[in-house]
Amino acid sequence: MNDGPYPHSAGQVPVLRLGDVLLVTVQGDLYDSTAQRLQDDIGAGVAAGGVTGVVIDISGVEVVDSFLARVLAEIAAGSALLAARTVVSGMRPAVAITLVELGLTLPGLETALDTEAALALLSRGTGGTFREPR
Amino acid sequence: METSTGVGADLPIRSDTDLMWVRQHVRQAAAQLGFGLVAQTKLVTAASELARNTLVHGGGGRMESAPLGQGRARGLRLSFHDEGPGIPDPERALTDGYTSGGGLGMGLGGARRLVHEFSIDSAPGRGTTVTVVSWAAAPPRPREES
Ligand SMILES: Nc1ncnc2c1ncn2[C@@H]1O[C@H](COP(=O)(O)OP(=O)(O)OP(=O)(O)O)[C@@H](O)[C@H]1O
Ligand SMILES: [Mg+2]
């Protein structure tokens, strides 16, 4: 048996509301169930109304596999249906390189270097989408 | 889990908590063998895809990991084993976008791109073993000059 909880895991990811933006900071490795719950929580937050943007900070995430990538893409798609934009911020370079090789380009997801840039992007209008790193 | 801090290990894959242990083990083992950050991330991601397939499609199983040494090159071999339904047509399963469930169908093909060596041993009813190898630097050549 493993003793003690997994060292860098989060059982629940808090969803903060800053004006008309939902701000989520994902830290460490996630249970699949935690990622799914986060999707539900963000969906409920956007559905509650008055939300125009969702920022998901993944600077503390070391691995994005196809499961988590799909959850992020579904969050963006679900939010878009309710007229909210989703920006993923702080993706580590190693994660970005790996996602490209994995073949996942996260269609529909906008990205920003950090949370501040993500918030600026949301207040401006249009921004970049996930691009192959050079 | 006694072996989780060493490079060699035999870990169960029966729950999503086990997936996290697999990722952590592969991360630590790769770091210990001198893999760079990008190489670690690629291998951990590949392991996560394959372990999830073992869990979701294979009905659970295990991962064995073993260090490899060839000259100065150091590598890690990971083997994902289950006794599930097997893969009737592995070539097709490797095709990007092919899924028998609700996935993206990028796991197997993507994992193959993220490692240096990749093999599937599977037949209907016999279960599935996927084995991958990655090297800390470039994969060793059959003949090396010194
Ligand atoms: N261990 C396994 N046992 C039985 N079938 C498998 C196994 N691994 C993969 N497969 C089959 O190969 C297909 C492709 O696998 P792959 O990982 O590429 O996609 P997926 O798991 O369906 O979706 P994704 O990984 O993108 O979420 C699966 O849908 C499944 O039919
Ligand atoms: Mg898969």
Side-chain angles (χ1 to χ4, degrees), chain A residues 66-67 70, chain B residues 48-54 56-57 98-99 103-109:
Chain A
S66 66
F67 180 85
R70 189 174 64 202
Chain B
S48 188
E49 296 298 337
L50 298 173
R52 185 172 282 102
N53 281 352
T54 299
V56 173
H57 303 298
Y98 174 79
T99 176
L104 297 173
M106 298 301 290
L108 268 186

Side-chain angles (χ1 to χ4, degrees), chain A:
Chain A
M1 281 301 289
N2 302 321
D3 45 306
Y6 184 84
H8 308 293
S9 71
Q12 193 189 346
V13 182
V15 178
L16 303 179
R17 181 153 184 173
L18 285 179
D20 57 357
V21 172
L22 295 183
L23 179 58
V24 180
T25 303
V26 185
Q27 293 278 356
D29 202 357
L30 294 184
Y31 291 96
D32 291 359
S33 55
T34 306
Q36 261 153 357
R37 169 149 188 206
L38 175 63
Q39 184 178 350
D40 293 344
D41 289 349
I42 291 176
V46 174
V51 174
T52 59
V54 178
V55 175
I56 306 175
D57 176 6
I58 60 166
S59 59
V61 175
E62 293 183 346
V63 177
V64 176
D65 62 9
S66 66
F67 180 85
L68 186 53
R70 189 174 64 202
V71 168
L72 292 174
E74 283 177 3
I75 288 172
S79 303
L81 286 176
L82 297 168
R85 290 165 62 196
T86 301
V87 182
V88 170
S89 67
M91 184 186 292
R92 298 183 179 203
V95 169
I97 291 167
T98 300
L99 278 177
V100 168
E101 225 157 294
L102 199 54
L104 296 172
T105 46
L106 303 184
L109 268 195
E110 292 182 85
T111 56
L113 282 182
D114 55 30
T115 300
E116 204 182 327
L119 291 170
L121 199 120
L122 283 176
S123 61
R124 260 208 328 269
T126 55
T129 49
F130 183 79
R131 285 253 172 71
E132 197 160 331
R134 327 173 115 222

